[in-house]
Amino acid sequence: AGVLGWPISLVSLVDARRQFFKSSVGLPESLAAGRQTPLTHSFCKHVALSGEPLIVDDARSHPVLKDNPAISLGVIAYAGFPLTTQDGLVLGSFCAIDTVAREWSPEQLDILRDLTASAMTEIELRRSNHELRRANQAKDRFIAMLSHDLRTPLSPALLTAAELSQDPT
């Protein structure tokens, strides 16, 4: 946000009833503390629904966004790219917001697109890491159960064998 001159940047996850700010820079404290807004205040929901970037120079004159309550919170210019998983699920948007009208330069949009790709790489790596940890825990539980199940029926046989090897008669 600081390097490219936009005051607000978000990683916004969108579900059926809200947008949740997984990460944010520059949000007013009232929004940053709650880390979410209802979908009525969301520009990111349009990115999540379409799976396409949404670039808006001035939301006050945009046919779909001009009545969005987020405008009263200072969301005037918006550039958002979809956070899409490898299997095609759109999680939300990586976006830049400005409190004044602005024309987004091609270079800024390219950087935002690259940052979105980097964020998705991180999300996918964390998801894979979580799945690997779960698989490893399942393997550990299976090995512990197998070890217990093999030991239990062998215990009487091992005791008998030990007794027979000690009995000289």
Side-chain angles (χ1 to χ4, degrees):
V3 170
L4 295 171
W6 54 67
I8 301 168
S9 187
L10 306 170
V11 173
S12 177
L13 306 178
V14 177
D15 67 19
R17 55 185 179 80
R18 68 181 177 144
Q19 70 176 349
F20 173 77
F21 306 131
K22 178 65 177 156
S23 179
S24 66
V25 172
L27 278 181
E29 183 56 35
S30 59
L31 291 174
R35 296 185 66 183
Q36 64 181 343
T37 63
L39 290 179
T40 55
H41 291 66
S42 177
F43 286 26
C44 297
K45 73 178 179 183
H46 299 286
V47 175
L49 287 172
S50 71
E52 298 293 328
L54 176 62
I55 312 302
V56 178
D57 296 335
D58 189 340
R60 298 169 295 193
S61 61
H62 190 275
V64 175
L65 301 173
K66 66 182 177 187
D67 295 322
N68 190 300
I71 292 172
S72 67
L73 299 173
V75 180
I76 305 301
Y78 175 91
F81 287 83
L83 293 164
T84 308
T85 64
Q86 292 173 350
D87 50 354
L89 177 65
V90 180
L91 303 175
S93 173
F94 191 114
C95 65
I97 296 169
D98 205 336
T99 56
V100 297
R102 70 151 46 205
E103 187 175 322
W104 301 97
S105 74
E107 294 80 16
Q108 289 174 320
L109 295 177
D110 286 344
I111 290 169
L112 190 57
R113 186 179 294 108
D114 291 345
L115 290 171
T116 302
S118 294
M120 274 315 303
T121 299
E122 179 69 19
I123 290 168
E124 292 286 359
L125 286 172
R126 287 182 183 204
R127 184 171 103 176
S128 294
N129 192 15
H130 177 73
E131 289 171 2
L132 287 172
R133 268 191 259 121
R134 282 188 17 204
N136 197 35
Q137 290 169 347
K139 174 198 59 118
D140 289 346
R141 286 191 302 273
F142 175 75
I143 289 172
M145 178 191 70
L146 184 62
S147 175
H148 175 267
D149 288 353
L150 288 175
R151 241 189 336 252
T152 301
L154 291 177
S155 292
L158 292 173
L159 286 174
T160 302
E163 287 177 8
L164 288 174
S165 67
Q166 292 177 359
D167 189 1
T169 59

